[in-house]
Amino acid sequence: MENLPLVCFPHAGAGMLYYSKWRFAFGGGIDVRIAQYPLREQRMNTPMPGSLTALAEDLFTELSSSFRGSYAIWGHSMGSVIGYEIAKLCQDRLGNPPLVFFTSGSAAPCDSQFTGVSDLDTKDGVERVLRHYGGLSEENLADPEFMKYFAPIITTDLRLLGGYSDPHQIPLNCPIVLMQGQEDPVSVTNWQRYTQHPISHNTFDGGHFFVDERRPEMAALMESTIQLVWQRGATLS
């Protein structure tokens, strides 16, 4: 295995900068590629598509070179839903599902609709949502310049998730590895509907944003899993 792409899909409000440190968490055989969503960083002036599935179509096109050979997908929170939609496109249109699908801090797509859209209509409501999920300091929330930049991004992302549904629950033809914070109340029960392979469920200390503190352990799990699945495939072929 050499430079296998691990395509990372950030959580709502996040982008390449937040996940850039993950590029240094893996050994030389993993090539971390971070999806770039509209409204931030290099795509700051790119309009956001009108639905989460349209965003997945956009990213599928942007990242097409990553999906031609063997690759893995990892998404955190909303990124897991986006990653799943893209994995379906790869499976359907390219006949090439990911080697492994990693999900962290996320319910299964059928349970992932954001239900607090009305809270996003006011400044106080947005702050309540952000405090509920964590990941931002009180200093960030009290900084007018930061919130002027960040609030439109996070509200746009969450509105997309609020309009999402997955009635078909199409399974992926690959293993799914769940990663969850022990203090995160998100339910991961229905992920088994999304693969015919056994589910691997792994818990880590922390809440919804355990990814901030558990980078080495998570990277080690993902890397060892990719190597194991790769070796099994090489043996079968």
Side-chain angles (χ1 to χ4, degrees):
M1 185 181 73
E2 185 174 345
N3 293 327
L4 186 141
L6 172 63
V7 188
C8 168
F9 294 94
H11 57 274
M16 294 182 71
L17 181 62
Y18 187 99
Y19 285 88
S20 60
K21 294 179 181 178
W22 285 86
R23 290 190 168 117
F24 306 102
F26 294 88
I30 304 295
D31 178 13
V32 178
R33 303 182 184 181
I34 306 165
Q36 178 70 82
Y37 301 161
L39 302 182
R40 66 215 80 188
E41 300 159 339
Q42 290 91 337
R43 301 187 72 191
M44 186 177 295
N45 297 319
T46 302
M48 180 65 79
S51 68
L52 191 143
T53 52
L55 174 59
E57 289 275 2
D58 172 81
L59 294 170
F60 174 72
T61 301
E62 286 282 325
L63 296 162
S64 60
S65 63
S66 298
F67 305 132
R68 297 298 175 181
S70 296
Y71 66 97
I73 283 178
W74 168 44
H76 182 67
S77 195
M78 185 182 85
S80 290
V81 181
I82 297 171
Y84 166 70
E85 288 294 328
I86 289 173
K88 282 198 303 182
L89 293 174
C90 293
Q91 181 167 288
D92 180 49
R93 297 183 187 176
L94 305 177
N96 190 31
L99 197 66
V100 191
F101 185 91
F102 298 99
T103 169
S104 58
S106 177
C110 59
D111 298 323
S112 288
Q113 186 180 49
F114 175 68
T115 58
V117 172
S118 61
D119 293 331
L120 305 176
D121 293 335
T122 66
K123 177 177 177 291
D124 289 345
V126 171
E127 290 182 3
R128 283 197 302 273
V129 169
L130 296 178
R131 284 192 175 95
H132 173 75
Y133 286 101
L136 287 180
S137 67
E138 287 297 322
E139 183 179 4
N140 288 145
L141 292 170
D143 183 338
E145 289 301 313
F146 175 82
M147 291 302 292
K148 181 180 179 181
Y149 166 76
F150 182 71
I153 296 172
I154 187 70
T155 55
T156 299
D157 289 358
L158 291 177
R159 288 184 194 279
L160 284 189
L161 193 57
Y164 174 79
S165 65
D166 180 41
H168 303 298
Q169 302 175 28
I170 297 171
L172 300 177
N173 188 22
C174 68
I176 292 179
V177 175
L178 309 182
M179 296 177 285
Q180 184 179 21
Q182 289 183 345
E183 298 162 25
D184 190 349
V186 66
S187 172
V188 299
T189 303
N190 286 327
W191 272 110
Q192 185 61 71
R193 300 181 183 181
Y194 289 85
T195 181
Q196 295 179 351
H197 296 258
I199 288 277
S200 171
H201 188 184
N202 307 270
T203 57
F204 299 83
D205 291 339
H208 189 64
F209 285 101
F210 68 96
V211 291
D212 291 335
E213 293 86 24
R214 301 301 165 202
R215 187 181 305 119
E217 298 99 312
M218 292 177 66
L221 172 65
M222 287 190 274
E223 187 165 9
S224 63
T225 303
I226 289 170
Q227 289 175 341
L228 179 62
V229 176
W230 172 269
Q231 288 168 359
R232 285 176 178 169
T235 300
L236 290 173
S237 61

mmCIF file of all heavy atoms in Angstrom, residues 57-79:
data_model
loop_
_atom_site.group_PDB
_atom_site.id
_atom_site.type_symbol
_atom_site.label_atom_id
_atom_site.label_comp_id
_atom_site.label_asym_id
_atom_site.label_seq_id
_atom_site.Cartn_x
_atom_site.Cartn_y
_atom_site.Cartn_z
ATOM 1 N N GLU A 57 -22.700 16.099 -5.015
ATOM 2 C CA GLU A 57 -22.420 16.061 -6.458
ATOM 3 C C GLU A 57 -21.248 16.992 -6.796
ATOM 4 O O GLU A 57 -20.358 16.634 -7.564
ATOM 5 C CB GLU A 57 -23.659 16.479 -7.245
ATOM 6 C CG GLU A 57 -24.795 15.477 -7.241
ATOM 7 C CD GLU A 57 -24.637 14.416 -8.327
ATOM 8 O OE1 GLU A 57 -23.631 14.452 -9.055
ATOM 9 O OE2 GLU A 57 -25.538 13.562 -8.434
ATOM 10 N N ASP A 58 -21.266 18.181 -6.214
ATOM 11 C CA ASP A 58 -20.206 19.160 -6.435
ATOM 12 C C ASP A 58 -18.850 18.613 -5.989
ATOM 13 O O ASP A 58 -17.847 18.690 -6.718
ATOM 14 C CB ASP A 58 -20.551 20.444 -5.676
ATOM 15 C CG ASP A 58 -19.431 21.473 -5.677
ATOM 16 O OD1 ASP A 58 -19.305 22.192 -6.682
ATOM 17 O OD2 ASP A 58 -18.693 21.557 -4.681
ATOM 18 N N LEU A 59 -18.813 18.028 -4.807
ATOM 19 C CA LEU A 59 -17.552 17.515 -4.259
ATOM 20 C C LEU A 59 -17.101 16.250 -4.992
ATOM 21 O O LEU A 59 -15.891 16.016 -5.146
ATOM 22 C CB LEU A 59 -17.721 17.243 -2.762
ATOM 23 C CG LEU A 59 -17.955 18.487 -1.903
ATOM 24 C CD1 LEU A 59 -18.354 18.083 -0.482
ATOM 25 C CD2 LEU A 59 -16.721 19.379 -1.872
ATOM 26 N N PHE A 60 -18.045 15.448 -5.429
ATOM 27 C CA PHE A 60 -17.716 14.257 -6.216
ATOM 28 C C PHE A 60 -16.946 14.657 -7.476
ATOM 29 O O PHE A 60 -15.951 14.037 -7.850
ATOM 30 C CB PHE A 60 -19.000 13.516 -6.576
ATOM 31 C CG PHE A 60 -18.810 12.343 -7.501
ATOM 32 C CD1 PHE A 60 -18.222 11.177 -7.059
ATOM 33 C CD2 PHE A 60 -19.246 12.402 -8.822
ATOM 34 C CE1 PHE A 60 -18.056 10.084 -7.907
ATOM 35 C CE2 PHE A 60 -19.088 11.327 -9.674
ATOM 36 C CZ PHE A 60 -18.497 10.164 -9.219
ATOM 37 N N THR A 61 -17.388 15.722 -8.113
ATOM 38 C CA THR A 61 -16.697 16.230 -9.301
ATOM 39 C C THR A 61 -15.333 16.809 -8.939
ATOM 40 O O THR A 61 -14.328 16.528 -9.599
ATOM 41 C CB THR A 61 -17.555 17.302 -9.993
ATOM 42 O OG1 THR A 61 -18.810 16.730 -10.361
ATOM 43 C CG2 THR A 61 -16.864 17.845 -11.227
ATOM 44 N N GLU A 62 -15.297 17.614 -7.868
ATOM 45 C CA GLU A 62 -14.049 18.261 -7.455
ATOM 46 C C GLU A 62 -12.971 17.234 -7.090
ATOM 47 O O GLU A 62 -11.784 17.448 -7.337
ATOM 48 C CB GLU A 62 -14.301 19.160 -6.237
ATOM 49 C CG GLU A 62 -15.041 20.445 -6.540
ATOM 50 C CD GLU A 62 -14.141 21.489 -7.165
ATOM 51 O OE1 GLU A 62 -12.957 21.549 -6.804
ATOM 52 O OE2 GLU A 62 -14.623 22.243 -8.030
ATOM 53 N N LEU A 63 -13.374 16.125 -6.486
ATOM 54 C CA LEU A 63 -12.429 15.149 -5.945
ATOM 55 C C LEU A 63 -12.342 13.882 -6.789
ATOM 56 O O LEU A 63 -11.834 12.867 -6.321
ATOM 57 C CB LEU A 63 -12.849 14.777 -4.516
ATOM 58 C CG LEU A 63 -12.809 15.909 -3.491
ATOM 59 C CD1 LEU A 63 -13.632 15.551 -2.266
ATOM 60 C CD2 LEU A 63 -11.368 16.201 -3.089
ATOM 61 N N SER A 64 -12.811 13.929 -8.018
ATOM 62 C CA SER A 64 -12.946 12.719 -8.833
ATOM 63 C C SER A 64 -11.647 11.934 -8.960
ATOM 64 O O SER A 64 -11.659 10.697 -9.001
ATOM 65 C CB SER A 64 -13.490 13.072 -10.218
ATOM 66 O OG SER A 64 -12.615 13.976 -10.883
ATOM 67 N N SER A 65 -10.521 12.623 -9.004
ATOM 68 C CA SER A 65 -9.236 11.919 -9.165
ATOM 69 C C SER A 65 -8.907 11.044 -7.958
ATOM 70 O O SER A 65 -8.118 10.097 -8.068
ATOM 71 C CB SER A 65 -8.107 12.921 -9.413
ATOM 72 O OG SER A 65 -7.943 13.783 -8.306
ATOM 73 N N SER A 66 -9.500 11.357 -6.802
ATOM 74 C CA SER A 66 -9.234 10.576 -5.586
ATOM 75 C C SER A 66 -9.974 9.249 -5.572
ATOM 76 O O SER A 66 -9.645 8.368 -4.769
ATOM 77 C CB SER A 66 -9.643 11.381 -4.342
ATOM 78 O OG SER A 66 -8.897 12.570 -4.232
ATOM 79 N N PHE A 67 -10.974 9.100 -6.442
ATOM 80 C CA PHE A 67 -11.860 7.939 -6.380
ATOM 81 C C PHE A 67 -11.620 6.933 -7.501
ATOM 82 O O PHE A 67 -12.434 6.036 -7.701
ATOM 83 C CB PHE A 67 -13.318 8.406 -6.421
ATOM 84 C CG PHE A 67 -13.669 9.415 -5.366
ATOM 85 C CD1 PHE A 67 -14.369 10.580 -5.695
ATOM 86 C CD2 PHE A 67 -13.305 9.223 -4.043
ATOM 87 C CE1 PHE A 67 -14.701 11.516 -4.732
ATOM 88 C CE2 PHE A 67 -13.626 10.159 -3.067
ATOM 89 C CZ PHE A 67 -14.323 11.305 -3.412
ATOM 90 N N ARG A 68 -10.536 7.070 -8.239
ATOM 91 C CA ARG A 68 -10.309 6.194 -9.392
ATOM 92 C C ARG A 68 -9.658 4.869 -9.010
ATOM 93 O O ARG A 68 -9.898 3.854 -9.639
ATOM 94 C CB ARG A 68 -9.447 6.920 -10.431
ATOM 95 C CG ARG A 68 -10.115 8.159 -11.002
ATOM 96 C CD ARG A 68 -11.401 7.820 -11.735
ATOM 97 N NE ARG A 68 -12.122 9.011 -12.196
ATOM 98 C CZ ARG A 68 -13.268 8.994 -12.846
ATOM 99 N NH1 ARG A 68 -13.831 7.836 -13.128
ATOM 100 N NH2 ARG A 68 -13.856 10.122 -13.209
ATOM 101 N N GLY A 69 -8.827 4.895 -7.981
ATOM 102 C CA GLY A 69 -8.202 3.659 -7.524
ATOM 103 C C GLY A 69 -8.727 3.290 -6.145
ATOM 104 O O GLY A 69 -9.876 3.562 -5.813
ATOM 105 N N SER A 70 -7.893 2.678 -5.324
ATOM 106 C CA SER A 70 -8.275 2.361 -3.945
ATOM 107 C C SER A 70 -8.214 3.634 -3.103
ATOM 108 O O SER A 70 -7.300 4.444 -3.237
ATOM 109 C CB SER A 70 -7.342 1.307 -3.359
ATOM 110 O OG SER A 70 -7.455 0.087 -4.067
ATOM 111 N N TYR A 71 -9.175 3.796 -2.223
ATOM 112 C CA TYR A 71 -9.240 4.972 -1.365
ATOM 113 C C TYR A 71 -10.129 4.643 -0.174
ATOM 114 O O TYR A 71 -10.848 3.630 -0.163
ATOM 115 C CB TYR A 71 -9.834 6.177 -2.127
ATOM 116 C CG TYR A 71 -11.281 5.979 -2.502
ATOM 117 C CD1 TYR A 71 -12.315 6.491 -1.713
ATOM 118 C CD2 TYR A 71 -11.644 5.222 -3.617
ATOM 119 C CE1 TYR A 71 -13.654 6.263 -2.036
ATOM 120 C CE2 TYR A 71 -12.971 4.994 -3.947
ATOM 121 C CZ TYR A 71 -13.967 5.514 -3.150
ATOM 122 O OH TYR A 71 -15.281 5.288 -3.462
ATOM 123 N N ALA A 72 -10.086 5.473 0.856
ATOM 124 C CA ALA A 72 -10.983 5.365 2.003
ATOM 125 C C ALA A 72 -11.629 6.721 2.228
ATOM 126 O O ALA A 72 -11.124 7.751 1.774
ATOM 127 C CB ALA A 72 -10.219 4.918 3.247
ATOM 128 N N ILE A 73 -12.751 6.722 2.917
ATOM 129 C CA ILE A 73 -13.475 7.955 3.244
ATOM 130 C C ILE A 73 -13.622 8.057 4.751
ATOM 131 O O ILE A 73 -13.910 7.064 5.426
ATOM 132 C CB ILE A 73 -14.863 7.982 2.565
ATOM 133 C CG1 ILE A 73 -14.726 8.327 1.074
ATOM 134 C CG2 ILE A 73 -15.813 8.978 3.249
ATOM 135 C CD1 ILE A 73 -16.040 8.326 0.304
ATOM 136 N N TRP A 74 -13.443 9.275 5.258
ATOM 137 C CA TRP A 74 -13.729 9.566 6.667
ATOM 138 C C TRP A 74 -14.498 10.876 6.760
ATOM 139 O O TRP A 74 -14.099 11.874 6.164
ATOM 140 C CB TRP A 74 -12.439 9.676 7.484
ATOM 141 C CG TRP A 74 -12.673 10.262 8.858
ATOM 142 C CD1 TRP A 74 -13.670 9.956 9.723
ATOM 143 C CD2 TRP A 74 -11.881 11.284 9.493
ATOM 144 N NE1 TRP A 74 -13.561 10.708 10.866
ATOM 145 C CE2 TRP A 74 -12.470 11.529 10.750
ATOM 146 C CE3 TRP A 74 -10.737 11.978 9.126
ATOM 147 C CZ2 TRP A 74 -11.950 12.460 11.645
ATOM 148 C CZ3 TRP A 74 -10.220 12.909 10.004
ATOM 149 C CH2 TRP A 74 -10.817 13.141 11.257
ATOM 150 N N GLY A 75 -15.605 10.861 7.490
ATOM 151 C CA GLY A 75 -16.351 12.077 7.744
ATOM 152 C C GLY A 75 -16.676 12.208 9.209
ATOM 153 O O GLY A 75 -16.973 11.210 9.893
ATOM 154 N N HIS A 76 -16.608 13.450 9.725
ATOM 155 C CA HIS A 76 -16.999 13.696 11.109
ATOM 156 C C HIS A 76 -18.310 14.475 11.135
ATOM 157 O O HIS A 76 -18.467 15.481 10.445
ATOM 158 C CB HIS A 76 -15.923 14.492 11.864
ATOM 159 C CG HIS A 76 -16.282 14.723 13.311
ATOM 160 N ND1 HIS A 76 -16.357 13.701 14.216
ATOM 161 C CD2 HIS A 76 -16.608 15.856 13.984
ATOM 162 C CE1 HIS A 76 -16.708 14.192 15.400
ATOM 163 N NE2 HIS A 76 -16.872 15.497 15.281
ATOM 164 N N SER A 77 -19.258 13.998 11.941
ATOM 165 C CA SER A 77 -20.553 14.644 12.112
ATOM 166 C C SER A 77 -21.231 14.836 10.743
ATOM 167 O O SER A 77 -21.419 13.859 10.024
ATOM 168 C CB SER A 77 -20.361 15.962 12.874
ATOM 169 O OG SER A 77 -21.587 16.455 13.369
ATOM 170 N N MET A 78 -21.588 16.062 10.353
ATOM 171 C CA MET A 78 -22.221 16.261 9.044
ATOM 172 C C MET A 78 -21.360 15.715 7.919
ATOM 173 O O MET A 78 -21.874 15.263 6.887
ATOM 174 C CB MET A 78 -22.486 17.748 8.807
ATOM 175 C CG MET A 78 -23.259 18.032 7.518
ATOM 176 S SD MET A 78 -23.551 19.789 7.183
ATOM 177 C CE MET A 78 -22.002 20.216 6.371
ATOM 178 N N GLY A 79 -20.046 15.729 8.096
ATOM 179 C CA GLY A 79 -19.146 15.191 7.080
ATOM 180 C C GLY A 79 -19.365 13.724 6.802
ATOM 181 O O GLY A 79 -19.101 13.242 5.697
#
